[in-house]
Amino acid sequence: MAFTPTVDETKCVGCEECVDVCPVEVFEMQDGKSVPVNAEECIGCESCVEVCEVDAITVEEN
Ligand code: SF4
Ligand code: SF4
């Protein structure tokens, strides 16, 4: 099973909570926004979805 995490850049406020919470280091901050640079590593735990206060993150099951 594979998962695809995406960040809505228009919603992201750059709090870095998702960077800290992700167990497999999917996210990296770039120009004040979180970018899922290691999206292929995602295990679908949805911790990032829960921690993001502005609902910027979506994790899709492929
Ligand atoms: S938790 Fe949400 S608002 Fe914070 S950096 Fe990640 S995507 Fe952006
Ligand atoms: S669902 Fe879990 S593994 Fe996937 S990006 Fe979010 S925190 Fe990381």
Side-chain angles (χ1 to χ4, degrees):
M1 204 174 295
F3 299 91
T4 304
T6 53
V7 176
D8 183 340
E9 280 190 27
T10 65
K11 290 184 179 176
C12 178
V13 293
C15 70
E16 301 191 25
E17 292 289 332
C18 57
V19 178
D20 293 339
V21 80
C22 180
V24 291
E25 297 181 8
V26 162
F27 303 102
E28 183 179 291
M29 298 306 291
Q30 291 181 7
D31 297 325
K33 302 282 183 177
S34 173
V35 180
V37 291
N38 296 314
E40 69 280 0
E41 299 291 329
C42 178
I43 56 172
C45 70
E46 300 210 353
S47 296
C48 55
V49 175
E50 288 166 23
V51 82
C52 182
E53 291 184 2
V54 294
D55 293 330
I57 305 176
T58 307
V59 177
E60 191 177 312
E61 195 176 317
N62 300 319

